[in-house]
Amino acid sequence: MAELQEVQITEEKPLLPGQTPEAAKTHSVETPYGSVTFTVYGTPKPKRPAILTYHDVGLNYKSCFQSLFQFGDMQEIIQNFVRVHVDAPGMEEGAPVFPLGYQYPSLDQLADMIPCILQYLNFSAIIGVGVGAGAYVLSRYALTGLTSSISEMILGHLFSQEELSGNSELIQKYRNIITHAPNLDNIELYWNSYNNRRDLNLERGGAVTLKCPVMLVVGDQAPHEDAVVECNSKLDPTQTSFLKMADSGGQPQLTQPGKLTEAFKYFLQGMGYMASSCMTRLSRSRTASLTSAASIDGNRSRSRTLSQSSESGTLPSGPPGHTMEVSC
Protein backbone atom coordinates (compact mmCIF):
# COMPACT_ATOMS: atom_id res chain seq x y z
CA MET A 1 0.00 0.00 0.00
CA ALA A 2 1.77 3.10 -1.20
CA GLU A 3 1.24 6.48 0.33
CA LEU A 4 0.20 9.03 -2.29
CA GLN A 5 0.29 12.18 -0.26
CA GLU A 6 0.81 13.48 3.25
CA VAL A 7 0.16 17.10 4.12
CA GLN A 8 0.22 19.02 7.37
CA ILE A 9 -2.99 20.96 8.01
CA THR A 10 -4.74 22.57 10.94
CA GLU A 11 -8.38 21.90 11.71
CA GLU A 12 -10.49 25.01 11.33
CA LYS A 13 -12.70 25.31 14.39
CA PRO A 14 -13.38 27.75 17.21
CA LEU A 15 -11.09 27.05 20.13
CA LEU A 16 -12.11 26.99 23.74
CA PRO A 17 -10.09 29.14 26.15
CA GLY A 18 -6.66 27.62 26.68
CA GLN A 19 -6.92 25.22 23.73
CA THR A 20 -4.44 24.96 20.89
CA PRO A 21 -5.25 23.76 17.37
CA GLU A 22 -5.03 20.03 16.76
CA ALA A 23 -2.46 18.99 14.18
CA ALA A 24 -3.87 16.74 11.48
CA LYS A 25 -2.31 14.69 8.71
CA THR A 26 -4.20 13.66 5.61
CA HIS A 27 -3.13 10.47 3.84
CA SER A 28 -4.17 8.65 0.69
CA VAL A 29 -3.36 4.97 0.23
CA GLU A 30 -4.01 2.53 -2.56
CA THR A 31 -6.28 -0.44 -1.87
CA PRO A 32 -7.48 -3.30 -4.09
CA TYR A 33 -10.55 -1.14 -4.84
CA GLY A 34 -8.88 2.18 -5.47
CA SER A 35 -7.49 5.06 -3.45
CA VAL A 36 -8.98 6.10 -0.10
CA THR A 37 -8.27 9.29 1.84
CA PHE A 38 -8.32 9.64 5.62
CA THR A 39 -7.26 12.26 8.14
CA VAL A 40 -5.55 11.50 11.46
CA TYR A 41 -5.79 13.71 14.53
CA GLY A 42 -3.63 13.19 17.61
CA THR A 43 -1.09 10.50 18.37
CA PRO A 44 -1.68 6.84 19.25
CA LYS A 45 -2.16 6.16 22.94
CA PRO A 46 -0.62 3.00 24.42
CA LYS A 47 -3.07 0.12 24.79
CA ARG A 48 -5.97 2.20 23.46
CA PRO A 49 -7.84 1.75 20.18
CA ALA A 50 -8.25 4.54 17.66
CA ILE A 51 -11.60 6.22 17.05
CA LEU A 52 -12.43 5.74 13.35
CA THR A 53 -15.35 7.55 11.71
CA TYR A 54 -17.18 6.93 8.45
CA HIS A 55 -19.67 9.49 7.11
CA ASP A 56 -23.06 9.18 5.39
CA VAL A 57 -24.01 9.74 1.75
CA GLY A 58 -23.81 13.36 0.60
CA LEU A 59 -21.34 14.30 3.33
CA ASN A 60 -17.64 14.08 4.03
CA TYR A 61 -15.90 13.64 7.36
CA LYS A 62 -15.97 17.35 8.17
CA SER A 63 -19.61 18.04 7.31
CA CYS A 64 -20.68 14.86 9.09
CA PHE A 65 -18.59 14.87 12.26
CA GLN A 66 -17.00 18.28 12.81
CA SER A 67 -19.81 19.61 15.03
CA LEU A 68 -19.70 16.51 17.20
CA PHE A 69 -15.95 16.54 17.72
CA GLN A 70 -15.86 20.29 18.32
CA PHE A 71 -18.48 20.05 21.07
CA GLY A 72 -17.06 21.16 24.41
CA ASP A 73 -17.79 18.00 26.36
CA MET A 74 -16.25 15.91 23.59
CA GLN A 75 -12.80 17.42 24.19
CA GLU A 76 -12.13 15.21 27.19
CA ILE A 77 -12.71 12.15 25.00
CA ILE A 78 -10.64 13.18 22.00
CA GLN A 79 -7.69 14.08 24.21
CA ASN A 80 -7.46 10.40 25.13
CA PHE A 81 -7.76 8.81 21.69
CA VAL A 82 -6.18 9.18 18.27
CA ARG A 83 -8.88 9.81 15.61
CA VAL A 84 -9.04 8.57 12.04
CA HIS A 85 -11.68 10.22 9.83
CA VAL A 86 -12.23 8.29 6.61
CA ASP A 87 -13.62 9.94 3.49
CA ALA A 88 -15.35 7.62 1.05
CA PRO A 89 -13.61 7.65 -2.36
CA GLY A 90 -14.23 10.90 -4.19
CA MET A 91 -15.94 12.53 -1.20
CA GLU A 92 -12.89 14.31 0.23
CA GLU A 93 -12.60 18.07 -0.24
CA GLY A 94 -11.15 18.96 -3.64
CA ALA A 95 -11.68 15.47 -5.06
CA PRO A 96 -11.75 15.34 -8.88
CA VAL A 97 -14.82 14.06 -10.71
CA PHE A 98 -14.54 10.37 -11.57
CA PRO A 99 -14.32 9.64 -15.31
CA LEU A 100 -17.36 8.52 -17.24
CA GLY A 101 -18.00 4.84 -16.72
CA TYR A 102 -16.10 4.64 -13.41
CA GLN A 103 -17.33 1.71 -11.31
CA TYR A 104 -17.76 2.96 -7.73
CA PRO A 105 -16.88 0.42 -5.01
CA SER A 106 -19.73 -1.42 -3.34
CA LEU A 107 -20.31 -0.87 0.38
CA ASP A 108 -18.73 -4.26 1.02
CA GLN A 109 -15.65 -3.17 -0.91
CA LEU A 110 -15.55 0.09 1.05
CA ALA A 111 -15.45 -2.05 4.19
CA ASP A 112 -12.59 -4.04 2.67
CA MET A 113 -10.58 -0.81 2.39
CA ILE A 114 -10.54 -0.31 6.16
CA PRO A 115 -7.92 -3.00 6.90
CA CYS A 116 -5.61 -1.30 4.39
CA ILE A 117 -5.94 1.92 6.38
CA LEU A 118 -5.27 0.16 9.68
CA GLN A 119 -2.32 -1.72 8.20
CA TYR A 120 -0.81 1.52 6.93
CA LEU A 121 -1.20 3.16 10.35
CA ASN A 122 -0.19 -0.01 12.21
CA PHE A 123 -3.39 0.12 14.27
CA SER A 124 -4.76 -3.16 15.59
CA ALA A 125 -8.08 -2.01 17.10
CA ILE A 126 -10.65 0.72 16.53
CA ILE A 127 -13.83 2.16 17.99
CA GLY A 128 -16.06 2.77 14.98
CA VAL A 129 -18.39 5.77 14.69
CA GLY A 130 -20.56 5.63 11.56
CA VAL A 131 -23.65 7.43 10.28
CA GLY A 132 -26.08 5.93 7.75
CA ALA A 133 -24.10 4.39 4.92
CA GLY A 134 -20.97 4.80 7.02
CA ALA A 135 -22.55 2.78 9.83
CA TYR A 136 -23.24 -0.02 7.33
CA VAL A 137 -19.63 0.05 6.12
CA LEU A 138 -18.30 -0.22 9.67
CA SER A 139 -20.79 -2.97 10.52
CA ARG A 140 -19.72 -4.93 7.46
CA TYR A 141 -16.09 -4.49 8.48
CA ALA A 142 -16.88 -5.71 12.01
CA LEU A 143 -18.59 -8.80 10.57
CA THR A 144 -15.99 -9.71 7.93
CA GLY A 145 -12.96 -7.57 8.67
CA LEU A 146 -10.43 -10.39 9.00
CA THR A 147 -11.90 -12.70 6.38
CA SER A 148 -12.30 -10.09 3.69
CA SER A 149 -8.73 -8.81 4.09
CA ILE A 150 -6.99 -12.08 4.77
CA SER A 151 -4.31 -11.46 2.15
CA GLU A 152 -3.38 -8.03 3.56
CA MET A 153 -3.36 -9.39 7.11
CA ILE A 154 -0.99 -12.16 6.10
CA LEU A 155 1.25 -9.75 4.20
CA GLY A 156 1.43 -7.60 7.34
CA HIS A 157 2.50 -10.72 9.20
CA LEU A 158 5.17 -11.63 6.66
CA PHE A 159 6.69 -8.24 5.86
CA SER A 160 7.52 -5.02 7.66
CA GLN A 161 5.51 -1.84 7.16
CA GLU A 162 8.50 -0.27 5.43
CA GLU A 163 8.59 -3.13 2.93
CA LEU A 164 4.85 -2.92 2.26
CA SER A 165 5.01 0.84 1.79
CA GLY A 166 7.94 0.46 -0.60
CA ASN A 167 5.88 -1.97 -2.70
CA SER A 168 8.97 -3.59 -4.20
CA GLU A 169 8.84 -6.33 -6.81
CA LEU A 170 9.11 -8.87 -4.00
CA ILE A 171 6.06 -7.42 -2.23
CA GLN A 172 4.09 -7.26 -5.47
CA LYS A 173 5.01 -10.87 -6.19
CA TYR A 174 3.86 -12.21 -2.85
CA ARG A 175 0.77 -10.00 -2.73
CA ASN A 176 -0.24 -11.51 -6.06
CA ILE A 177 0.57 -15.05 -4.89
CA ILE A 178 -1.49 -14.74 -1.71
CA THR A 179 -4.37 -12.67 -3.10
CA HIS A 180 -4.94 -15.03 -6.03
CA ALA A 181 -4.13 -18.27 -4.24
CA PRO A 182 -6.67 -20.94 -5.28
CA ASN A 183 -6.54 -22.34 -1.75
CA LEU A 184 -7.10 -19.01 0.00
CA ASP A 185 -9.84 -20.56 2.16
CA ASN A 186 -7.33 -23.16 3.38
CA ILE A 187 -4.76 -20.44 4.04
CA GLU A 188 -7.34 -18.63 6.16
CA LEU A 189 -7.85 -21.76 8.27
CA TYR A 190 -4.09 -22.02 8.83
CA TRP A 191 -4.03 -18.29 9.68
CA ASN A 192 -6.85 -18.74 12.22
CA SER A 193 -4.98 -21.62 13.84
CA TYR A 194 -1.89 -19.44 14.11
CA ASN A 195 -3.87 -16.65 15.76
CA ASN A 196 -5.32 -19.12 18.26
CA ARG A 197 -1.93 -20.54 19.22
CA ARG A 198 -1.02 -21.12 22.86
CA ASP A 199 1.98 -19.50 24.52
CA LEU A 200 4.99 -21.82 24.72
CA ASN A 201 5.62 -20.55 28.28
CA LEU A 202 9.37 -20.83 27.84
CA GLU A 203 11.45 -19.79 30.82
CA ARG A 204 15.22 -19.54 30.99
CA GLY A 205 16.42 -21.90 33.68
CA GLY A 206 12.89 -23.19 34.20
CA ALA A 207 11.27 -26.53 33.59
CA VAL A 208 10.01 -25.55 30.13
CA THR A 209 12.81 -24.58 27.77
CA LEU A 210 14.48 -25.89 24.63
CA LYS A 211 17.42 -28.14 25.49
CA CYS A 212 18.69 -28.51 21.91
CA PRO A 213 20.88 -26.07 19.96
CA VAL A 214 18.80 -23.19 18.57
CA MET A 215 19.51 -20.50 15.99
CA LEU A 216 17.07 -17.58 16.04
CA VAL A 217 17.05 -15.34 12.96
CA VAL A 218 15.16 -12.07 12.56
CA GLY A 219 15.40 -9.18 10.14
CA ASP A 220 15.79 -5.64 11.32
CA GLN A 221 12.41 -3.89 11.40
CA ALA A 222 10.67 -7.23 10.98
CA PRO A 223 7.02 -7.24 12.13
CA HIS A 224 7.85 -9.56 15.02
CA GLU A 225 11.38 -8.45 15.88
CA ASP A 226 10.48 -7.74 19.52
CA ALA A 227 8.89 -11.17 19.91
CA VAL A 228 12.04 -12.90 18.64
CA VAL A 229 14.22 -10.83 20.96
CA GLU A 230 11.96 -11.78 23.86
CA CYS A 231 12.12 -15.44 22.86
CA ASN A 232 15.91 -15.26 22.85
CA SER A 233 15.83 -13.91 26.41
CA LYS A 234 13.90 -17.00 27.54
CA LEU A 235 16.19 -19.61 26.01
CA ASP A 236 19.32 -21.24 27.40
CA PRO A 237 22.16 -18.89 26.38
CA THR A 238 24.60 -21.83 26.19
CA GLN A 239 22.51 -23.43 23.45
CA THR A 240 21.28 -20.41 21.52
CA SER A 241 22.61 -18.35 18.62
CA PHE A 242 20.75 -15.11 17.85
CA LEU A 243 21.19 -13.54 14.41
CA LYS A 244 19.74 -10.12 13.55
CA MET A 245 20.08 -9.27 9.87
CA ALA A 246 20.23 -5.78 8.45
CA ASP A 247 18.34 -4.89 5.28
CA SER A 248 16.32 -8.10 5.36
CA GLY A 249 12.86 -7.10 6.62
CA GLY A 250 10.42 -9.81 7.63
CA GLN A 251 11.63 -12.66 5.41
CA PRO A 252 15.45 -13.02 5.53
CA GLN A 253 15.31 -16.28 3.58
CA LEU A 254 13.89 -14.29 0.64
CA THR A 255 15.86 -11.07 0.92
CA GLN A 256 19.25 -12.25 2.25
CA PRO A 257 19.62 -15.94 1.29
CA GLY A 258 23.41 -15.65 1.06
CA LYS A 259 23.92 -14.36 4.58
CA LEU A 260 21.41 -16.83 5.98
CA THR A 261 23.12 -19.73 4.20
CA GLU A 262 26.48 -18.79 5.72
CA ALA A 263 24.97 -18.47 9.19
CA PHE A 264 23.29 -21.86 8.82
CA LYS A 265 26.57 -23.48 7.81
CA TYR A 266 28.31 -22.09 10.90
CA PHE A 267 25.42 -23.27 13.04
CA LEU A 268 25.74 -26.79 11.64
CA GLN A 269 29.50 -26.71 12.15
CA GLY A 270 28.97 -25.71 15.76
CA MET A 271 26.92 -28.88 16.13
CA GLY A 272 29.80 -30.93 14.75
CA TYR A 273 28.59 -31.32 11.18
CA MET A 274 30.16 -30.23 7.87
CA ALA A 275 33.52 -29.50 9.48
CA SER A 276 35.24 -29.42 6.09
CA SER A 277 32.57 -27.31 4.38
CA CYS A 278 33.94 -24.28 2.54
CA MET A 279 32.57 -20.87 3.30
CA THR A 280 31.92 -18.35 0.56
CA ARG A 281 34.57 -16.00 -0.81
CA LEU A 282 32.94 -13.14 1.08
CA SER A 283 33.10 -14.91 4.43
CA ARG A 284 36.78 -15.74 3.96
CA SER A 285 37.60 -12.08 3.40
CA ARG A 286 35.56 -10.70 6.26
CA THR A 287 36.90 -9.67 9.63
CA ALA A 288 35.10 -9.43 12.93
CA SER A 289 35.76 -8.40 16.47
CA LEU A 290 35.00 -10.99 19.07
CA THR A 291 34.80 -10.54 22.81
CA SER A 292 34.68 -13.38 25.25
CA ALA A 293 33.93 -13.37 28.92
CA ALA A 294 33.76 -16.12 31.48
CA SER A 295 31.00 -16.19 34.09
CA ILE A 296 31.84 -15.21 37.64
CA ASP A 297 31.04 -18.52 39.29
CA GLY A 298 32.84 -20.51 36.61
CA ASN A 299 29.99 -22.96 36.33
CA ARG A 300 28.39 -21.35 33.32
CA SER A 301 29.79 -21.69 29.82
CA ARG A 302 31.50 -18.77 28.21
CA SER A 303 29.30 -16.32 26.35
CA ARG A 304 30.40 -14.54 23.25
CA THR A 305 29.16 -11.51 21.40
CA LEU A 306 30.12 -10.85 17.84
CA SER A 307 29.83 -7.33 16.47
CA GLN A 308 29.95 -6.92 12.72
CA SER A 309 29.27 -4.26 10.15
CA SER A 310 26.22 -4.44 7.91
CA GLU A 311 28.41 -5.90 5.19
CA SER A 312 29.31 -8.94 7.27
CA GLY A 313 26.95 -11.67 8.27
CA THR A 314 28.99 -14.66 9.44
CA LEU A 315 28.84 -16.70 12.57
CA PRO A 316 32.12 -18.09 13.86
CA SER A 317 32.14 -21.83 14.21
CA GLY A 318 32.68 -23.19 17.65
CA PRO A 319 31.65 -25.91 20.02
CA PRO A 320 28.13 -26.00 21.47
CA GLY A 321 27.75 -24.13 24.71
CA HIS A 322 28.14 -20.60 23.37
CA THR A 323 25.52 -17.94 22.92
CA MET A 324 26.21 -15.65 20.00
CA GLU A 325 24.38 -12.42 19.28
CA VAL A 326 25.14 -11.23 15.78
CA SER A 327 24.12 -8.08 13.94
CA CYS A 328 24.89 -8.26 10.25
Side-chain angles (χ1 to χ4, degrees):
M1 292 167 289
E3 181 184 350
L4 300 183
Q5 63 177 356
E6 179 175 327
V7 295
Q8 187 79 20
I9 63 174
T10 301
E11 184 179 18
E12 297 178 359
K13 67 177 185 178
L15 298 176
L16 298 176
Q19 280 190 303
T20 57
E22 273 191 297
K25 284 188 176 181
T26 298
H27 310 262
S28 282
V29 297
E30 288 296 330
T31 79
Y33 307 104
S35 177
V36 62
T37 299
F38 52 94
T39 303
V40 180
Y41 288 86
T43 56
K45 306 298 189 293
K47 299 182 179 179
R48 291 195 180 183
I51 293 177
L52 184 143
T53 71
Y54 214 111
H55 59 84
D56 202 355
V57 175
L59 306 173
N60 58 29
Y61 93 84
K62 284 188 176 181
S63 56
C64 190
F65 293 107
Q66 195 169 57
S67 295
L68 173 64
F69 285 95
Q70 285 182 358
F71 190 70
D73 290 347
M74 177 63 76
Q75 304 312 302
E76 182 180 2
I77 295 176
I78 66 176
Q79 289 174 4
N80 289 281
F81 294 90
V82 62
R83 301 180 350 248
V84 181
H85 297 290
V86 181
D87 278 316
M91 304 299 122
E92 67 274 15
E93 291 183 348
V97 176
F98 289 122
L100 186 65
Y102 172 78
Q103 182 64 46
Y104 199 81
S106 67
L107 293 189
D108 288 4
Q109 290 172 336
L110 293 180
D112 288 345
M113 291 180 173
I114 294 177
C116 299
I117 297 172
L118 301 184
Q119 175 67 41
Y120 174 81
L121 295 172
N122 197 27
F123 290 171
S124 59
I126 63 169
I127 298 172
V129 180
V131 176
Y136 180 94
V137 170
L138 291 179
S139 298
R140 175 58 63 184
Y141 165 71
L143 289 171
T144 63
L146 177 60
T147 302
S148 62
S149 62
I150 186 70
S151 59
E152 292 300 324
M153 290 290 185
I154 292 176
L155 285 167
H157 165 77
L158 295 174
F159 300 100
S160 68
Q161 183 57 52
E162 290 78 7
E163 290 175 290
L164 293 174
S165 298
N167 200 31
S168 65
E169 289 186 7
L170 179 69
I171 298 300
Q172 295 177 36
K173 173 185 176 180
Y174 279 87
R175 176 177 281 116
N176 183 66
I177 290 174
I178 296 171
T179 301
H180 298 98
N183 63 336
L184 187 57
D185 289 343
N186 296 349
I187 293 175
E188 181 181 348
L189 295 176
Y190 190 13
W191 173 251
N192 291 339
S193 292
Y194 170 76
N195 285 317
N196 290 320
R197 67 193 182 281
R198 293 180 297 145
D199 196 297
L200 292 174
N201 294 316
L202 298 173
E203 183 180 355
R204 177 175 291 183
V208 181
T209 191
L210 297 177
K211 296 179 173 59
C212 59
V214 177
M215 181 175 73
L216 293 175
V217 180
V218 66
D220 62 335
Q221 299 180 337
H224 307 294
E225 178 183 352
D226 292 342
V228 178
V229 172
E230 181 182 0
C231 180
N232 180 57
S233 71
K234 295 180 178 180
L235 295 178
D236 182 353
T238 67
Q239 294 282 355
T240 305
S241 301
F242 177 56
L243 176 62
K244 183 177 179 181
M245 285 189 171
D247 304 322
S248 61
Q251 301 293 307
Q253 79 280 8
L254 300 178
T255 57
Q256 297 286 356
K259 289 182 179 180
L260 187 55
T261 298
E262 289 188 37
F264 190 39
K265 284 183 180 180
Y266 280 118
F267 178 69
L268 292 174
Q269 287 184 334
M271 295 174 65
Y273 303 110
M274 300 178 62
S276 60
S277 175
C278 295
M279 294 297 104
T280 66
R281 176 182 58 81
L282 287 176
S283 71
R284 290 195 299 268
S285 64
R286 287 169 182 160
T287 58
S289 63
L290 179 66
T291 60
S292 302
S295 60
I296 296 177
D297 57 14
N299 294 324
R300 297 176 58 189
S301 299
R302 297 166 63 202
S303 66
R304 307 194 298 173
T305 300
L306 176 66
S307 301
Q308 296 177 299
S309 68
S310 60
E311 287 79 17
S312 61
T314 60
L315 285 168
S317 59
H322 291 213
T323 177
M324 293 174 286
E325 296 188 9
V326 182
S327 179
C328 63

